[in-house]
Amino acid sequence: MAALTINVSTVSPLGDRVFVKVSPSEEKTAGGILLPDSAKEKPQVGEVVSVGPGKVKEDGSRVAMEVKVGDQVLYSKYAGTDIRLGGEDYVLLSEKDILASVS
Protein backbone atom coordinates (compact mmCIF):
# COMPACT_ATOMS: atom_id res chain seq x y z
CA MET A 1 0.00 0.00 0.00
CA ALA A 2 1.36 3.43 -0.96
CA ALA A 3 1.95 6.02 1.73
CA LEU A 4 0.04 9.27 1.42
CA THR A 5 1.78 12.48 2.41
CA ILE A 6 -0.58 15.31 3.26
CA ASN A 7 0.49 18.88 3.76
CA VAL A 8 -1.26 22.22 3.46
CA SER A 9 -0.30 22.75 -0.18
CA THR A 10 -1.80 19.39 -1.23
CA VAL A 11 -5.24 20.04 0.30
CA SER A 12 -7.68 21.32 -2.30
CA PRO A 13 -11.27 21.71 -1.04
CA LEU A 14 -14.14 20.58 -3.26
CA GLY A 15 -17.38 22.42 -3.99
CA ASP A 16 -18.17 25.15 -1.48
CA ARG A 17 -15.68 23.95 1.13
CA VAL A 18 -13.08 26.20 2.78
CA PHE A 19 -9.79 25.15 4.45
CA VAL A 20 -9.02 27.43 7.41
CA LYS A 21 -5.92 27.69 9.63
CA VAL A 22 -7.19 28.03 13.20
CA SER A 23 -5.89 30.99 15.22
CA PRO A 24 -4.31 29.97 18.53
CA SER A 25 -6.58 30.07 21.58
CA GLU A 26 -5.99 32.34 24.53
CA GLU A 27 -3.45 31.11 27.10
CA LYS A 28 -4.65 33.48 29.87
CA THR A 29 -7.91 34.93 31.06
CA ALA A 30 -8.46 38.70 31.19
CA GLY A 31 -7.50 38.53 34.88
CA GLY A 32 -4.16 36.86 34.09
CA ILE A 33 -5.00 33.28 35.12
CA LEU A 34 -3.22 30.65 33.01
CA LEU A 35 -5.63 28.18 31.42
CA PRO A 36 -4.85 24.45 31.16
CA ASP A 37 -5.49 22.80 27.77
CA SER A 38 -8.66 21.14 29.07
CA ALA A 39 -10.22 24.52 29.98
CA LYS A 40 -9.48 26.29 26.70
CA GLU A 41 -12.39 26.88 24.34
CA LYS A 42 -12.13 25.90 20.70
CA PRO A 43 -11.19 29.02 18.70
CA GLN A 44 -13.69 30.27 16.15
CA VAL A 45 -11.41 32.58 14.18
CA GLY A 46 -8.94 31.62 11.49
CA GLU A 47 -7.28 32.48 8.19
CA VAL A 48 -8.53 31.03 4.91
CA VAL A 49 -5.76 28.90 3.40
CA SER A 50 -7.61 27.39 0.44
CA VAL A 51 -11.09 27.57 -1.10
CA GLY A 52 -13.04 25.27 -3.40
CA PRO A 53 -14.39 26.32 -6.81
CA GLY A 54 -17.89 26.99 -5.46
CA LYS A 55 -21.22 25.20 -5.24
CA VAL A 56 -22.74 23.83 -8.45
CA LYS A 57 -26.30 25.00 -9.14
CA GLU A 58 -28.93 22.81 -10.80
CA ASP A 59 -28.29 24.42 -14.20
CA GLY A 60 -24.58 23.45 -13.99
CA SER A 61 -23.20 26.92 -13.29
CA ARG A 62 -21.13 27.64 -10.18
CA VAL A 63 -21.88 30.06 -7.36
CA ALA A 64 -18.78 32.18 -6.72
CA MET A 65 -17.18 31.88 -3.27
CA GLU A 66 -17.58 34.92 -0.99
CA VAL A 67 -14.25 34.37 0.79
CA LYS A 68 -10.76 34.21 -0.66
CA VAL A 69 -7.35 33.00 0.46
CA GLY A 70 -5.92 35.25 3.18
CA ASP A 71 -9.28 36.38 4.62
CA GLN A 72 -9.72 36.27 8.40
CA VAL A 73 -13.05 34.61 9.17
CA LEU A 74 -15.31 33.86 12.13
CA TYR A 75 -16.98 30.45 11.87
CA SER A 76 -19.54 28.39 13.80
CA LYS A 77 -18.24 26.78 16.98
CA TYR A 78 -19.00 23.15 16.13
CA ALA A 79 -18.69 23.39 12.34
CA GLY A 80 -16.40 21.46 10.05
CA THR A 81 -13.80 18.76 10.45
CA ASP A 82 -10.74 19.41 12.61
CA ILE A 83 -7.42 18.49 10.98
CA ARG A 84 -3.88 18.65 12.41
CA LEU A 85 -1.03 19.00 9.89
CA GLY A 86 2.59 19.71 10.76
CA GLY A 87 1.76 20.75 14.32
CA GLU A 88 -0.81 23.31 13.16
CA ASP A 89 -4.59 23.11 13.58
CA TYR A 90 -6.90 23.50 10.59
CA VAL A 91 -10.62 23.10 9.99
CA LEU A 92 -12.32 22.08 6.75
CA LEU A 93 -15.80 23.56 6.61
CA SER A 94 -18.60 24.51 4.29
CA GLU A 95 -18.89 28.16 3.25
CA LYS A 96 -22.32 28.34 4.91
CA ASP A 97 -20.62 27.74 8.30
CA ILE A 98 -18.65 30.98 7.95
CA LEU A 99 -20.43 33.68 9.92
CA ALA A 100 -18.37 36.77 9.12
CA SER A 101 -15.21 38.14 7.60
CA VAL A 102 -12.98 39.87 10.16
CA SER A 103 -11.00 42.98 9.20
Side-chain angles (χ1 to χ4, degrees):
M1 182 176 262
L4 177 63
T5 304
I6 298 175
N7 59 38
V8 178
S9 62
T10 61
V11 176
S12 181
L14 302 175
D16 67 339
R17 302 278 193 298
V18 181
F19 195 54
V20 176
K21 181 179 179 184
V22 178
S23 297
S25 59
E26 293 294 321
E27 300 285 328
K28 291 183 183 180
T29 64
I33 298 171
L34 290 174
L35 294 172
D37 288 337
S38 60
K40 293 179 187 172
E41 286 193 29
K42 179 181 171 186
Q44 294 173 262
V45 177
E47 179 182 353
V48 175
V49 176
S50 183
V51 296
K55 187 174 186 174
V56 178
K57 297 193 304 188
E58 287 186 24
D59 65 1
S61 62
R62 289 205 182 261
V63 177
M65 299 290 281
E66 292 187 48
V67 295
K68 61 186 181 307
V69 174
D71 285 354
Q72 293 288 325
V73 293
L74 175 68
Y75 54 89
S76 297
K77 189 168 197 160
Y78 300 107
T81 302
D82 296 327
I83 301 170
R84 187 156 181 90
L85 295 175
E88 304 266 341
D89 291 323
Y90 296 88
V91 64
L92 182 62
L93 47 93
S94 180
E95 185 181 35
K96 69 180 180 183
D97 294 325
I98 296 176
L99 305 173
S101 182
V102 182
S103 300

